[in-house]
Amino acid sequence: MKQYLELCRRVIDSGEWVENSRTGKRCLTVINADLEYDVSEGLLPVLTTKKLFWKQAIAEMLGYLRGYTSAADFRKIGCNTWNANANENAEWLANPFRKGPDDMGRCYGAQGRDWRNPEGESVDQLQGVYNDLRQGIDNRCEIMTFMNPGERDRACLNSCMHTHTFSVLGGKLYLTSYQRSDDLPLGHGFNQVQVGWLLMVMAQITGLRPATAFHKIVNVHVYEDQLVLLRDVQMKRDPLPLPKLHINPDIKTLRDLETWVTPDDFALEGYQHHPAIKYEFAV
């Protein structure tokens, strides 16, 4: 929480205003941020200065790992974050590659589980990383990326947290997650949880011990209609102790994540938080 609040203060004190063409709104913006989350004791990096719907964050990442490309599939597992981008984004609605209602196109899960090589063959990035980690292999290329420059025009939104690199050292699993764009008041809380959760759940299904997650962000911004609530409400609240994440011990393989796991297989012990804050969402 201290890292998050320090980043909020940095954006407010030294950020520059940028016009965002996609949303038609101005953003107070800084470039480059590095955060670290030690999850070795099971502490989940969840925001406490506002209530965070952490199960939705887990559901969203679970959908990515399953390769979902429809907002309808995300809704079925308790995540509503893709409804607007799939169905209300004017540019995407006019895109000839859109297949119909709820279609997200070739972003996130499509790339992680069904990347296409030059011959048009499917490459399952996550399966390859999982197979290596199960054997304790780290060839310095244990990478799953959701960013495919050749298919950016075929997605409702370019992937924000786009690349995850796993590293093994001394029987411990580390994760470095790269994010191109960060809506600090609204989206960041989800992303922070997802980074910590991804490291912990991948460690469990590969038989490794979770260590540290490194969260690297390029463009950090606050939309102009979010600034007052962030500055005058959330930042004036005192952070509370981080809760501990409990993962169902029956989750043992990638196949488990693909088939029967739900957000209810995860529980937070001791999650104390301030009241929720309704920030504006920019489509």
Side-chain angles (χ1 to χ4, degrees):
M1 277 306 309
K2 181 180 178 182
Q3 295 178 89
Y4 174 75
L5 292 174
E6 287 175 347
L7 182 55
C8 291
R9 175 53 59 193
R10 178 185 159 204
V11 174
I12 290 172
D13 289 347
S14 62
E16 296 184 23
W17 286 106
V18 174
E19 295 285 346
N20 183 264
S21 59
R22 180 178 65 87
T23 63
K25 298 180 181 181
R26 293 195 309 159
C27 304
L28 198 56
T29 305
V30 300
I31 301 300
N32 191 57
D34 291 278
L35 297 89
E36 296 184 15
Y37 317 125
D38 181 354
V39 300
S40 59
E41 301 299 323
L43 297 179
L44 186 71
V46 58
L47 298 183
T48 61
T49 50
K50 69 169 184 175
K51 181 180 181 180
L52 188 83
F53 296 96
W54 59 273
K55 281 196 176 184
Q56 276 208 48
I58 288 177
E60 183 176 58
M61 182 56 79
L62 184 61
Y64 297 162
L65 299 188
R66 288 178 173 173
Y68 288 170
T69 59
S70 170
D73 288 330
F74 281 90
R75 288 196 298 273
K76 290 175 185 176
I77 57 172
C79 176
N80 292 298
T81 57
W82 283 97
N83 294 338
N85 279 312
N87 298 305
E88 298 174 24
N89 182 331
E91 287 188 12
W92 179 238
L93 293 177
N95 191 307
F97 293 108
R98 185 175 183 265
K99 297 177 180 178
D102 288 321
D103 179 40
M104 296 161 50
R106 297 283 299 167
C107 60
Y108 286 102
Q111 304 300 342
R113 305 307 306 268
D114 184 29
W115 178 279
R116 302 295 171 82
N117 69 13
E119 291 72 41
E121 299 165 329
S122 178
V123 177
D124 189 335
Q125 296 182 75
L126 179 58
Q127 187 70 56
V129 170
Y130 170 73
N131 291 343
D132 281 353
L133 296 181
R134 288 274 284 191
Q135 301 174 70
I137 295 173
D138 176 7
N139 62 15
R140 304 178 195 170
C141 290
E142 306 304 338
I143 300 170
M144 174 177 62
T145 181
F146 299 140
M147 181 63 75
N148 184 341
E151 293 191 315
R152 284 178 55 187
D153 62 334
R154 299 161 196 238
C156 68
L157 181 70
N158 285 313
S159 302
C160 293
M161 191 159 62
H162 58 81
T163 301
H164 303 278
T165 300
F166 296 91
S167 304
V168 180
L169 191 62
K172 296 179 181 179
L173 185 63
Y174 295 81
L175 172 64
T176 305
S177 296
Y178 304 84
Q179 188 166 346
R180 66 170 180 86
S181 176
D182 185 11
D183 180 339
L184 190 57
L186 192 59
H188 180 95
F190 264 49
N191 298 136
Q192 192 167 295
V193 164
Q194 289 168 342
V195 172
W197 175 83
L198 181 60
L199 175 54
M200 283 191 270
V201 79
M202 286 294 288
Q204 178 159 311
I205 65 175
T206 57
L208 297 164
R209 289 172 290 153
T212 304
F214 302 95
H215 188 181
K216 303 180 71 66
I217 309 167
V218 177
N219 185 299
V220 186
H221 52 267
V222 176
Y223 285 101
E224 55 188 329
D225 52 10
Q226 300 171 331
L227 182 58
V228 172
L229 280 176
L230 179 67
R231 182 190 60 210
D232 298 344
V233 179
Q234 188 172 356
M235 290 185 63
K236 292 185 177 180
R237 297 172 173 178
D238 293 327
L240 301 167
L242 288 178
K244 191 167 187 176
L245 179 69
H246 291 282
I247 302 176
N248 184 340
D250 291 333
I251 302 174
K252 298 177 181 179
T253 67
L254 177 58
R255 184 63 179 162
D256 292 336
L257 290 178
E258 293 170 332
T259 53
W260 58 265
V261 171
T262 76
D264 290 334
D265 287 296
F266 307 91
L268 276 188
E269 177 187 317
Y271 181 32
Q272 305 173 60
H273 55 78
H274 292 270
I277 300 175
K278 187 173 179 56
Y279 285 112
E280 291 293 326
F281 177 66
V283 179

